[in-house]
Amino acid sequence: MPKIKTHKGAAKRFSLTKSGKVKRGHAFKSHILTKKSTKRKRGLRKTAYASPANEATIKKLIPYK
């Protein structure tokens, strides 16, 4: 069997925790920040976890992470 190629776009966006959860960053933090409140922008800095529905798909994209 050949090795599976890592999806480089997904590799840059997601990482795995020790327990196997998929860690991700928040969207909507790159531009048009003037209309967003400081509190909202501060919350978007923090990391979040991918939903269990999408977890299996993401793990297939990053097999060696």
Side-chain angles (χ1 to χ4, degrees):
M1 285 295 290
K3 290 192 281 184
I4 303 165
K5 281 195 174 182
T6 298
H7 189 288
K8 289 303 188 179
K12 290 166 191 173
R13 287 169 174 83
F14 303 107
S15 61
L16 295 177
T17 62
K18 288 275 186 176
S19 61
K21 288 182 188 173
V22 179
K23 212 163 59 166
R24 64 169 179 84
H26 281 102
F28 309 111
K29 185 65 177 78
S30 55
H31 62 102
I32 318 175
L33 300 172
T34 50
K35 63 176 80 168
K36 294 169 190 153
S37 70
T38 310
K39 184 179 177 181
R40 182 174 164 193
K41 287 185 280 191
R42 192 166 55 243
L44 292 173
R45 275 185 223 146
K46 298 174 181 171
T47 56
Y49 296 107
S51 78
N54 299 326
E55 223 168 62
T57 312
I58 295 165
K59 283 181 182 177
K60 279 181 193 166
L61 295 172
I62 48 171
Y64 305 109
K65 236 185 174 184

